[in-house]
Amino acid sequence: MQVIKGVEKLDCENTVITIGNFDGVHIGHQKIFDFVKRKAKEIGGKSVVVTFTPHPIKVLFKDHPLKLITTCEDKIKLIDNCGVDILILIPFTLEFAQIEAEDFVKNILFEKLHAKWVVVGYDYRFGKARKGDRELLKKLGTKYDFKVKVLKAYKKKGKILSSTAVREALREGDIREANLFLGRAYHIDGEVIKGAGRGSSILGYPTANILPKQEIIPKEGVYAVKVTIPHLLKTFKGVANIGKNPTFGNKNLSYEVHILDFYDNLLSREIRVHFISRLRDEKKFSSPQELKEGIARDIEKAREIFKKDRTKLFLK
Ligand code: RBF
Ligand code: MG
């Protein structure tokens, strides 16, 4: 996949373009890309995804609490994995936000990107003050000689699939639903930092504590996870805890994972934690010994889950 930062004139004369934020690159997004690729093949042109960085909401509303599912880096790799020809990353600025809907279509989609088809979701809005909608897009398509395809909402289990739905599922700790919508396991990446050291000394379950790069972290609690260790090119089974360790009265939230059948030191290494299933809430045990027995039961439950699990992992 060719990645172009900013808007420049494309060599290729025929393109099928979709435009959006595509946070999470969930299966609804993947369906849109499939349509774009199919059309591109039909007309002998290139499939093009146009997206923005940073997310427009973060630029337009500085205090908006929006948290993103994917980092920009992951979004690029996930779109690449979908088999798209060209990804255009437009730096979103206040100045860019001033472009009128028709100017965006004429100057960018028509003159620079040579759109023959423009594929958007049913609720697509574009241009200054979001004044452009699918009706305007169709009108401009007649003027600038491209066709417009508006795709319907994609539903799974009776629910409309959207980035918002994925964010809510993660916030509620409903990993199964988030993963169903994403078509893969949700993951966080982070460097292993020094923890309290209690894991190995008191509990006998050493944990790698991480500082996640992602903005959304699943709800506090205990999870069955898989852990990819890039420098070993390997993935292991594990159990993770997100919380404040009430048994020890900690104040700060920690993100930690105990990796099964693994004994190396990972300090300062970057690891990826894929969430498979939620096991339970974090709780205050009456003693470290009780907690130790609790973790042993978590591991047993996790091993049972892994036996049947087929969740796809995003490794690179
Ligand atoms: N700490 C708690 O205080 N309550 C818990 O319910 C709890 N559950 C955990 C489950 C797993 C699978 C793991 C790996 C850790 C858990 N911890 C829990 C965190 C534990 O207190 C921590 O790993 C040690 O204190 C070392 O930092
Ligand atoms: Mg630790």
Side-chain angles (χ1 to χ4, degrees), residues 10 187 254 284:
L10 296 183
H187 71 267
S254 60
K284 186 173 161 62

Side-chain angles (χ1 to χ4, degrees), residues 169-236:
L170 290 170
R171 231 175 273 131
E172 288 162 11
D174 193 343
I175 293 299
R176 292 283 186 196
E177 177 153 300
N179 290 354
L180 184 76
F181 288 177
L182 289 170
R184 63 174 188 279
Y186 184 66
H187 71 267
I188 55 177
D189 299 299
E191 191 184 307
V192 176
I193 55 169
K194 224 172 147 47
R198 281 186 306 255
S200 31
S201 62
I202 304 181
L203 301 173
Y205 293 107
T207 61
N209 295 52
I210 67 166
L211 269 185
K213 280 187 188 168
Q214 278 73 9
E215 297 182 358
I216 299 190
I217 310 298
K219 184 182 167 182
E220 291 181 28
V222 182
Y223 296 90
V225 300
K226 289 198 177 163
V227 183
T228 299
I229 305 178
H231 73 279
L232 299 178
L233 298 169
K234 270 190 180 160
T235 297
F236 297 85

